Amino acid sequence: MKNIQKIATLFIGFSITACLFACSNSGQTTDKKEKITKDSLQDYVAQRLPIYEKVRLSTNLNQLTVSERKVLPLLIEAAKIMDDLFWKQAYPQRDSLLNTIKDENTKEFIKINYGPWDRLNGDKPFVTGIGPKSETGTFYPAGMTKEALEKSDVKDKYGLYSVIRTEKGKLISVPYHVLYATELQKASSLLKQAALLADDAGLKKYLNLRADALVTDDYSASDYAWLDMKTNGLDIIIGPIENYEDKLFNARAAFESYVLVKDKVWSKRLAKYVAMLPELQKGLPVAAQYKKEVPGTDSELNAYDVVYYAGDCNAGSKTIAVNLPNDEAIQQKKGTRRSQLKNAMQAKFDKILVPIAKELIDKDQQQYIKFDAFFANVMFHEVAHGLGIKNTISGKGTVRSALKEQYSWLEEGKADILGLYMVTGLLKKGELTGDIKEYYTTFMAGLLRSVRFGASEAHGKANMQCFNFFKEKGAFERTANGTYKVDFDKFAVAMNELSSFIITLQGNGDKAAVEKAQKEKGIIHPELQTDLDRLSKKGIPVDIVFEQGVDVLGMK
């Protein structure tokens, strides 16, 4: 800690906004051509904006205690600070950009995407003068290569909670709690205030420890306290968490927050499944050396109403289930908490998945599209993050460190397919009810929903790999009517083969092989794109955006 003051002083002279993003203006366009360019971009935005359906985030306030009613607004205020911090990470020139834009649709689209790149269309720029999205972003010096960092002697080279900067021609790392000290102190104070008001002992402890973590970048104690909470009615996920925004290494975490109200009835129903992980691990369809690890079972599987999204989780596609913490050591020792965001999930099912199924799923199989199957598929996706392998068998360390920027999309693909594997196994054991046809057909519709997120996004790549793999195995057919029909027997076979393929890639820690798999399978072919375009022409939304906050909740 003794060098923090020195680093902070040095950092005052740094400019984190200059030269971060490429500019595409040639300086040679005529006024007429420039006008056409602007018009075409506004037309693009006008076409893309309706892909998001507005949803109000609410919950039954009558279920909250007096104390929880006081705590909830403080949690939302802390979450708003994470939103501001994510803007600084994603596009620090937000205000100057918005001030130069006259078109209201473009302003709204910028806010949805946290910058001038369309997150659900391969990060396509939609503002005149903006070039491609930089891989280095705000996490590294502009133009820095992977090789330059790998060869350097900078400390915290791949740190979750720091940025890399250049000082006097040398690379240095600057911790988040130094770089964003003012904002993090404010958020910490809000969590401390909430802790004073909280009447649940577990929540009180977690809020205090998380408040400390925000200003130290040491999150382990608060992660353990979060996993220990059992009787809380409110929850908040807050801090730098996922590393999707770091396009260079998938190493550095982005700020986000979810404010949650527990659905205690549904949570009670889900409690039994985590205990089944070790048995399911033993049955994985992969060679024995890839399934020796024993998953942690001292974790929670809960359902929530989410009442506020902020930062990374609110950018582009919206998460409807969360599996945390990401720390592999904590996962193996303690497990994870799987949070199902039930109200957001229901909104996506009603407004997106059902209309997609009516358009693209074979008429004879549309009867199998069920919310309970959708809920289970999403839920077991999160549970399945705890299955498989966390450490390579090749001596390359953790899977995350071995695969670097290729880790996230493959891990999401693993969770997708092992979630379906879990559903299949639990149905056979009688631990789940329903028809396997419902789960498989709804999974197929879910693939068609998620591939619309685009191949630049981790979940989109994962779903494209699954779609292309299943297509090659004949797990479904595209009929003469342009609809998709599941072959249930081949679907099960393809599920097991893809499970084995992904776990083996992870266990070997072979980054080149994973890159090859992405290039071959993580792409959208023209025939599928034509079908996805049909959905857009029908006006079926791709994702949702939120009306949220204390006003929407009726707490003012």
Side-chain angles (χ1 to χ4, degrees):
M1 301 295 288
K2 62 183 179 181
N3 291 323
I4 288 177
Q5 186 67 42
K6 180 180 178 182
I7 294 173
T9 303
L10 287 171
F11 196 75
I12 292 173
F14 295 165
S15 171
I16 68 170
T17 60
C19 301
L20 287 174
F21 306 107
C23 178
S24 61
N25 278 343
S26 66
Q28 299 175 349
T29 55
T30 65
D31 289 343
K32 183 177 180 182
K33 287 183 179 179
E34 185 66 19
K35 184 177 186 302
I36 292 172
T37 302
K38 286 181 179 178
D39 287 344
S40 66
L41 287 173
Q42 288 185 16
D43 287 345
Y44 174 83
V45 170
Q47 292 172 5
R48 292 290 290 167
L49 191 57
I51 72 173
Y52 291 95
E53 180 81 10
K54 286 187 177 178
V55 172
R56 287 175 67 87
L57 288 180
S58 60
T59 191
N60 179 11
L61 295 178
N62 292 328
Q63 66 185 308
L64 301 183
T65 66
V66 173
S67 168
E68 288 168 343
R69 285 171 178 265
K70 295 177 181 177
V71 168
L72 189 55
L74 292 170
L75 300 185
I76 291 174
E77 284 303 307
K80 288 179 180 179
I81 294 173
M82 298 303 107
D83 205 64
D84 290 338
L85 286 174
F86 182 68
W87 267 109
K88 290 191 173 186
Q89 292 180 306
Y91 198 80
Q93 308 97 322
R94 172 188 62 182
D95 293 343
S96 60
L97 175 64
L98 290 173
N99 288 336
T100 63
I101 300 295
K102 304 301 181 186
D103 179 57
E104 291 302 319
N105 283 344
T106 302
K107 285 186 178 182
E108 185 175 353
F109 206 51
I110 287 169
K111 291 174 183 176
I112 288 172
N113 286 282
Y114 287 77
W117 298 283
D118 188 348
R119 289 175 178 267
L120 300 193
N121 190 21
D123 286 325
K124 179 182 176 68
F126 56 85
V127 173
T128 301
I130 298 293
K133 189 172 185 178
S134 165
E135 283 192 336
T136 56
T138 60
F139 298 106
Y140 309 94
M144 192 194 76
T145 63
K146 293 179 184 178
E147 293 74 21
L149 184 61
E150 288 168 344
K151 291 178 181 178
S152 74
D153 60 357
V154 64
K155 293 181 179 179
D156 206 27
K157 194 175 291 187
Y158 308 115
L160 271 172
Y161 312 124
S162 67
V163 297
I164 300 296
R165 294 288 179 259
T166 302
E167 199 269 320
K168 295 182 179 179
K170 186 177 180 181
L171 294 178
I172 65 168
S173 65
V174 183
Y176 283 178
H177 73 273
V178 173
L179 180 58
Y180 305 117
T182 301
E183 296 91 343
L184 291 173
Q185 285 286 356
K186 289 179 182 177
S188 178
S189 295
L190 286 164
L191 294 188
K192 291 282 188 182
Q193 291 176 48
L196 286 172
L197 296 169
D199 52 14
D200 181 84
L203 178 62
K204 185 185 291 285
K205 180 180 179 181
Y206 165 63
L207 290 175
N208 277 317
L209 288 173
R210 201 65 174 182
D212 294 339
L214 289 174
V215 295
T216 62
D217 291 327
D218 185 355
Y219 288 89
S220 293
S222 64
D223 282 342
Y224 280 113
W226 185 65
L227 291 174
D228 285 337
M229 288 194 304
K230 307 294 183 184
T231 58
N232 56 304
L234 297 181
D235 198 355
I236 183 170
I237 297 168
I238 186 167
I241 296 171
E242 304 290 358
N243 49 19
Y244 305 126
E245 193 68 15
D246 177 358
K247 303 297 184 184
L248 194 66
F249 281 107
N250 254 177
R252 297 183 143 79
F255 287 96
E256 67 180 5
S257 185
Y258 306 79
V259 181
L260 308 167
V261 177
K262 186 182 287 185
D263 185 326
K264 294 182 179 179
V265 175
W266 269 85
S267 295
K268 189 174 181 180
R269 292 185 200 173
L270 306 179
K272 64 180 180 180
Y273 294 118
V274 173
M276 299 177 183
L277 281 174
E279 182 182 354
L280 289 163
Q281 174 85 350
K282 292 177 183 177
L284 287 174
V286 68
Q289 65 265 37
Y290 296 95
K291 54 184 178 182
K292 288 181 179 178
E293 296 175 2
V294 180
T297 58
D298 186 20
S299 56
E300 293 281 293
L301 180 58
N302 298 125
Y304 297 89
D305 280 339
V306 55
V307 295
Y308 205 86
Y309 282 75
D312 192 25
C313 62
N314 196 41
S317 62
K318 308 303 185 294
T319 301
I320 51 179
V322 185
N323 176 58
L324 292 170
N326 286 325
D327 188 313
E328 288 92 348
I330 297 176
Q331 287 182 8
Q332 288 189 297
K333 184 175 180 180
K334 192 78 172 177
T336 59
R337 183 185 296 275
R338 284 89 173 184
S339 305
Q340 314 303 307
L341 313 183
K342 192 165 174 284
N343 56 342
M345 204 181 294
Q346 184 77 59
K348 287 202 182 191
F349 180 80
D350 293 340
K351 297 180 181 297
I352 303 174
L353 192 131
V354 169
I356 286 174
K358 288 180 178 177
E359 181 67 24
L360 292 184
I361 295 297
D362 186 77
K363 188 175 181 181
D364 291 339
Q365 294 186 345
Q366 288 179 16
Q367 62 183 306
Y368 300 129
I369 303 297
K370 304 286 186 181
F371 176 72
D372 283 352
F374 179 61
F375 182 84
N377 286 341
V378 174
M379 173 179 69
F380 286 112
H381 165 105
E382 299 305 330
V383 178
H385 277 298
L387 288 175
I389 191 164
K390 304 295 180 187
N391 297 290
T392 63
I393 65 169
S394 54
K396 296 180 181 179
T398 66
V399 175
R400 184 187 294 272
S401 63
L403 298 185
K404 295 186 172 67
E405 75 279 4
Q406 294 294 326
Y407 170 80
S408 292
W409 81 269
L410 191 65
E411 174 63 20
E412 293 304 326
K414 182 206 80 172
D416 280 339
I417 201 64
L418 291 191
L420 194 64
Y421 157 81
M422 288 187 69
V423 164
T424 305
L426 292 171
L427 276 171
K428 290 177 180 178
K429 292 176 181 294
E431 297 290 350
L432 273 181
T433 59
D435 187 336
I436 192 64
K437 294 178 181 178
E438 295 172 354
Y439 294 92
Y440 284 3
T441 309
T442 302
F443 184 89
M444 184 70 219
L447 280 180
L448 294 168
R449 177 184 73 87
S450 296
V451 296
R452 298 175 81 200
F453 296 156
S456 69
E457 196 264 350
H459 296 81
K461 292 175 185 176
N463 280 277
M464 276 317 309
Q465 175 184 242
C466 186
F467 180 92
N468 289 325
F469 191 97
F470 274 37
K471 182 179 180 181
E472 289 175 8
K473 300 296 180 179
F476 62 82
E477 65 169 318
R478 186 179 183 274
T479 69
N481 296 326
T483 59
Y484 291 83
K485 188 172 185 178
V486 174
D487 183 315
F488 298 108
D489 292 333
K490 291 181 179 179
F491 213 81
V493 173
M495 171 190 72
N496 286 332
E497 290 181 353
L498 181 56
S499 297
S500 178
F501 176 71
I502 292 177
I503 297 172
T504 301
L505 282 176
Q506 289 185 321
N508 291 343
D510 188 342
K511 185 164 168 278
V514 178
E515 288 173 342
K516 182 173 182 287
Q518 184 199 317
K519 289 176 182 177
E520 292 177 353
K521 297 288 195 300
I523 55 175
I524 299 175
H525 292 291
E527 183 181 67
L528 174 60
Q529 188 60 58
T530 299
D531 293 332
L532 298 180
D533 291 342
R534 281 164 50 197
L535 301 178
S536 298
K537 290 175 183 176
K538 290 280 185 176
I540 299 171
V542 177
D543 217 302
I544 52 182
V545 290
F546 303 116
E547 296 175 352
Q548 58 180 0
V550 291
D551 290 342
V552 173
L553 289 170
M555 298 190 75
K556 269 196 171 181

